[in-house]
Each structure stands twice: as structure tokens, then as C-alpha cells.
Amino acid sequence: MSNSMLIFGIILIVGIALVYYKYTHRMSLHNNVDQLNSVIKTIFKEADKTSISQNRLIKGLKQHMGVNEKMALKLIGKARMEGLIKSDGVNVELM
């Protein structure tokens, strides 16, 4: 086996490991309802209101959890399914 094949194999294994880590990290964020609940409560406390805009919630999730906009929308959907928030499309209320 030549050195170039060995280096290519190592790079490939490291790449696969990084993709796997990123996938498991995202799924752990999506499955951890307690953490999501605490972050949402923190965002509402910072706003000091009972109802905030969905854009503000997205920005708060992006800031506190370090996710992109697509994952923030998925987390909002998960929170709605779990009964943590109530959304009318524009505004979001804490349940």
C-alpha cells in the first residue's frame, strides 16, 4: 500500500467521523426536550413578554443553542408537538 493511499484512507475516516459526530449532535438537540424547554423559557424571560414573534424565537434558539435557522425551525416544531409553545404563524406563546 502506498503512502498516498494511506493518507487518503486516514482523511476519509476522519471525514466520516466528523459527519457522524455532527449528525448525533443534532439529533441529541432534537431529542432533548428538557434542554429545549429551559432554553425556550430563557428566551421568554429575556423578552419579558408572554408572546413573542417567531423570528425572535428563531434568533434566540440560534444564539443559545448554536444551531442554524433550519434546525431552529425544526426545534420550534418539536416544541409545538411537545406542547411547550403555541404558535399562530406569526406570534409564539409559552404554554
Side-chain angles (χ1 to χ4, degrees):
M1 206 187 217
S2 66
N3 287 339
S4 61
M5 288 296 286
L6 183 63
I7 292 172
F8 176 73
I10 291 172
I11 291 172
L12 183 65
I13 290 172
V14 169
I16 290 171
L18 287 174
V19 168
Y20 178 75
Y21 170 76
K22 187 173 182 178
Y23 175 77
T24 56
H25 177 69
R26 284 184 178 235
M27 288 300 108
S28 70
L29 285 177
H30 194 263
N31 292 331
N32 194 348
V33 178
D34 295 330
Q35 180 185 12
L36 181 60
N37 189 18
S38 66
V39 168
I40 288 175
K41 285 182 180 179
T42 303
I43 294 168
F44 274 91
K45 279 183 186 176
E46 288 175 356
D48 201 24
K49 297 179 183 176
T50 59
S51 177
I52 61 174
S53 69
Q54 186 170 352
N55 287 335
R56 185 166 184 163
L57 183 60
I58 290 170
K59 288 179 185 176
L61 287 171
K62 286 169 61 175
Q63 178 186 7
H64 289 285
M65 297 187 87
V67 296
N68 59 9
E69 189 167 346
K70 183 178 178 182
M71 189 64 183
L73 288 170
K74 286 182 180 180
L75 291 172
I76 289 173
K78 177 73 172 183
R80 283 180 34 201
M81 286 177 45
E82 294 292 329
L84 304 175
I85 59 173
K86 179 180 164 186
S87 177
D88 64 0
V90 178
N91 293 324
V92 179
E93 294 179 11
L94 186 63
M95 297 297 284

